[in-house]
């Protein structure tokens, strides 16, 4: 196993030299990564196909393309993000000037997951580089081909003192978490997120935790069912449902359930053909453990669409379940697979009150052609982020923060939000030489009237 103490010490020494701080250097590092991605596009797409069975189109749409967009965004704006920001100064401090100065945290650890193994490794790395940090990157062992491809990419682009890749499994994760990093960025399950946070607490290391949860989708009575079925099916079955912000389940007015389920079935056939298991556009489940877990969840309720699987290819048909109760196993955990329970409600206000009692999810989606009900849901329910009349695509906008709340995570990524996540915002006040002695003792004879006006 790598000597992680030496690795971290080497990065800290390099960071302390000031080599990563100039914005020109940060931009050069981002350009190196951009050029490396272009040179290795074919190898990266092949690795994603090997690990997850992704078509080249889906792999580019959800991984490579999003990374490139993030790089373009950072290269255009990093100079502005890194610039000190002037803020107002109270009259009591006259004459003075106040600034907020972003500075890099230092040596960062990025622990990435297997479901989007390229995007969810490189997007936080882009934020770290833009902020001026060094980074130790640990891809998931569950996506070994992509882990190797990412290691080859980053080793070709960067000195290990700047960006280092560690491959391996749980033993390597545990050993890395014993080290003293200046910042930790983790993407994965809530259970492992607790472990990461506990490890970080030993050194009082700040963390960003991008976790998950059961993200609901709500259909209002006035929703466009054709549009909703199409966009929900796309968001749910993308990457075979192995998406942290996938619609986990759908709440539908009881009288619309059958019509909506029928339209979901039509959308599935339109996307994946009459035999989805043979479709080149249907990815596979990451491993046997998760394949078996998902097959067990399919026993909940009644199968209305799909329900088939192929254990040799680890593919599961896009599946819609009805007659599901919240006591069923499929509603007891984040599904993270191509299984969509459809639940019904009679009372909209009652549904919202019920959802407010649930853990706060990473995402929430509302479909409505009106404004009142949709706004009521979006502004009274607490969740990480979401969409009105669509699913998932909010995370493709680099101007929006992405992250969870409560059990679905903490911290933000993408664009300037990611830059700030890897930065300490240092407050500075520059006081000029003109000195007003009223603050100094002795205070006898000084009235409070002027002081109250200044403060």
């Amino acid at each position: 196993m790598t000597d992680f103490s030496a690795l971290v010490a080497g990065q800290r020494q390099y960071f302390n030299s000031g080599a990563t701080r100039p914005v020109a250097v940060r931009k050069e590092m981002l350009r190196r990564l951009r050029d490396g991605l272009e040179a290795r596009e074919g190898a990266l797409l092949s690795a994603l196909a090997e690990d997850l069975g992704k078509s080249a189109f889906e792999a580019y749409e959800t991984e490579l393309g999003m990374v490139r967009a993030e790089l373009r965004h950072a290269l255009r704006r990093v100079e502005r993000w890194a610039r000190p920001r002037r803020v107002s100064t109270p009259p009591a401090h006259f004459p003075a000037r106040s600034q907020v100065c972003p500075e890099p945290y230092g040596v960062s650890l990025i622990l990435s997951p297997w479901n989007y193994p390229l995007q969810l490794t490189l997007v936080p790395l882009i934020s770290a580089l833009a902020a001026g940090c060094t980074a130790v990157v640990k891809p998931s062992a569950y996506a070994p081909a992509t882990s190797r491809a990412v290691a080859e990419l980053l080793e070709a682009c960067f000195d290990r003192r700047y960006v280092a890749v560690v491959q391996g499994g749980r033993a390597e994760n545990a050993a890395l978490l014993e080290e003293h990093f200046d910042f930790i960025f983790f993407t994965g399950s809530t259970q492992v997120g607790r472990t990461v946070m506990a490890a970080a607490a030993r050194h009082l290391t700040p963390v960003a935790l991008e976790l998950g949860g059961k993200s609901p989708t709500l259909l209002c009575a006035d929703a466009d069912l054709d549009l909703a079925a199409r966009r929900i099916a796309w968001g749910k079955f993308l990457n075979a449902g192995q998406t942290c912000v996938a619609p986990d389940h759908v709440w539908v007015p009881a009288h619309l359930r059958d019509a909506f389920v029928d339209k979901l079935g039509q959308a599935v056939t339109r996307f994946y053909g009459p035999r989805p298991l043979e479709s080149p556009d249907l990815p596979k489940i990451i491993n046997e453990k998760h394949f078996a877990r998902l097959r067990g969840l399919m026993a909940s309720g009644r199968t209305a669409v799909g329900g088939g699987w192929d254990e040799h290819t680890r593919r599961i048909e896009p599946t819609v379940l009805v007659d599901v109760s919240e006591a069923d196993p499929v509603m007891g955990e984040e599904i993270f697979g191509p299984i969509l329970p459809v639940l019904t409600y009679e009372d909209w206000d009652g549904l919202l009150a019920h959802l407010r009692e649930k853990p706060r999810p990473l995402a929430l989606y509302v479909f409505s052609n009106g404004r009142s009900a949709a706004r009521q849901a979006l502004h009274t329910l607490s969740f990480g982020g979401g969409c009105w009349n669509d699913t998932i695509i909010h995370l493709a906008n680099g101007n929006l923060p992405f992250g969870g709340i409560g059990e679905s995570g903490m911290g933000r990524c993408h664009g300037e939000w990611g830059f700030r996540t890897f930065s300490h915002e240092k407050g500075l006040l520059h006081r000029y030489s003109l000195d007003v002695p009223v603050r100094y003792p002795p205070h006898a004879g000084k009235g409070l009237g002027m002081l109250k006006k200044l403060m």
Side-chain angles (χ1 to χ4, degrees):
M1 187 180 291
T2 303
D3 183 344
F4 295 136
S5 295
L7 175 62
V8 173
Q11 287 210 350
R12 180 159 285 110
Q13 183 179 21
Y14 188 67
F15 174 77
N16 287 340
S17 75
T20 68
R21 288 179 177 256
V23 173
V25 172
R26 306 183 201 186
K27 294 179 74 172
E28 173 58 27
M29 296 303 108
L30 293 171
R31 283 191 286 265
R32 283 190 192 180
L33 182 56
R34 178 197 62 194
D35 295 344
L37 278 171
E38 184 174 350
R40 289 170 172 77
E41 178 178 308
L44 292 166
L45 293 177
S46 295
L48 292 166
E50 182 177 341
D51 286 331
L52 287 152
K54 293 190 182 190
S55 67
F57 187 95
E58 181 171 321
Y60 192 92
E61 176 188 31
T62 63
E63 304 244 25
L64 226 65
M66 289 187 64
V67 173
R68 283 181 165 166
E70 190 77 13
L71 276 166
R72 287 194 301 270
H73 191 68
L75 279 166
R76 290 190 191 114
R77 293 170 172 80
V78 65
E79 288 185 28
R80 177 170 58 82
W81 298 342
R83 193 177 301 139
R85 301 192 306 278
R86 186 87 172 262
V87 295
S88 61
T89 305
H93 302 315
F94 177 83
R97 180 179 63 185
S98 301
Q99 290 181 320
V100 177
C101 300
E103 68 173 16
Y105 270 120
V107 182
S108 61
L109 173 63
I110 297 171
L111 299 168
S112 60
W114 52 263
N115 59 322
Y116 289 90
L118 184 68
Q119 182 219 135
L120 295 179
T121 301
L122 298 186
V123 167
L125 176 61
I126 291 166
S127 297
L129 294 174
C133 294
T134 67
V136 176
V137 176
K138 171 59 179 61
S140 173
Y142 283 1
T146 309
S147 179
R148 289 192 298 271
V150 166
E152 291 169 3
L153 166 68
L154 298 182
E155 287 166 2
C157 292
F158 303 107
D159 186 306
R160 274 178 71 80
R161 295 175 301 165
Y162 207 143
V163 177
V165 182
V166 173
Q167 297 187 75
R170 293 181 180 178
E172 285 74 14
N173 287 347
L176 283 167
L177 289 171
E178 291 293 324
E179 300 300 325
H180 183 189
F181 288 91
D182 299 311
F183 191 82
I184 298 175
F185 192 104
F186 169 77
T187 307
S189 70
T190 301
Q191 179 183 359
V192 180
R194 291 190 176 98
T195 301
V196 172
M197 195 169 184
R202 291 197 294 271
H203 300 293
L204 295 180
T205 300
V207 298
L209 304 176
E210 300 293 348
L211 308 178
K214 294 188 73 64
S215 298
T217 298
L218 316 181
L219 258 69
C220 299
D222 63 352
D224 181 329
L225 292 191
D226 284 301
L227 181 72
R230 189 162 61 247
R231 292 181 176 176
I232 292 169
W234 174 80
K236 177 63 179 183
F237 303 123
L238 187 75
N239 201 32
Q242 299 167 118
T243 304
C244 59
V245 291
D248 184 87
H249 54 283
V250 186
W251 288 95
V252 185
H255 69 283
L256 294 177
R257 188 198 73 175
D258 291 346
F260 175 67
V261 169
D262 182 62
K263 291 183 184 300
L264 278 175
Q266 294 174 29
V268 168
T269 300
R270 192 179 308 124
F271 295 168
Y272 303 106
R275 292 183 292 277
L277 295 177
E278 299 175 14
S279 171
D281 295 314
L282 181 67
K284 63 184 179 182
I285 306 305
I286 188 65
N287 57 33
E288 294 291 343
K289 174 186 173 182
H290 286 284
F291 184 75
R293 179 184 66 84
L294 290 167
R295 283 178 56 188
L297 296 181
M298 291 168 72
S300 300
R302 174 173 63 85
T303 300
V305 175
W309 64 77
D310 185 334
E311 58 187 339
H312 298 294
T313 62
R314 293 201 310 274
R315 282 183 165 84
I316 295 175
E317 287 182 342
T319 297
V320 179
L321 302 178
V322 295
D323 301 332
V324 171
S325 80
E326 289 188 276
D328 286 329
V330 77
M331 292 300 295
E333 61 182 89
E334 184 178 5
I335 296 169
F336 225 66
I339 304 166
L340 182 65
V342 176
L343 298 93
T344 61
Y345 69 91
E346 298 284 353
D347 175 58
W348 176 251
D349 290 331
L351 173 64
L352 298 187
H354 176 65
L355 293 176
R356 279 192 285 272
E357 299 298 318
K358 299 286 187 180
R360 291 174 285 183
L362 183 57
L364 182 134
Y365 307 111
V366 178
F367 284 81
S368 172
N369 278 338
R371 293 178 178 270
S372 176
R375 285 179 171 171
Q376 183 185 7
L378 293 170
H379 295 296
T380 64
L381 296 176
S382 184
F383 54 95
C387 300
W388 179 352
N389 284 336
D390 212 333
T391 62
I392 290 184
I393 62 168
H394 61 293
L395 61 82
N397 182 348
N399 295 304
L400 289 175
F402 176 74
I405 181 171
E407 292 188 19
S408 61
M410 63 182 69
R412 295 292 178 266
C413 63
H414 295 171
E416 185 174 4
W417 302 92
F419 172 89
R420 290 187 178 187
T421 289
F422 282 88
S423 302
H424 166 62
E425 296 199 319
K426 183 165 57 181
L428 294 176
L429 187 145
H430 177 198
R431 189 81 189 277
Y432 298 109
S433 57
L434 177 64
D435 205 14
V436 180
V438 68
R439 65 176 178 171
Y440 300 122
H443 300 307
K446 297 176 183 176
L448 294 178
M450 180 175 293
L451 186 61
K452 287 181 178 179
K453 288 180 180 179
L454 291 173
M455 299 185 69

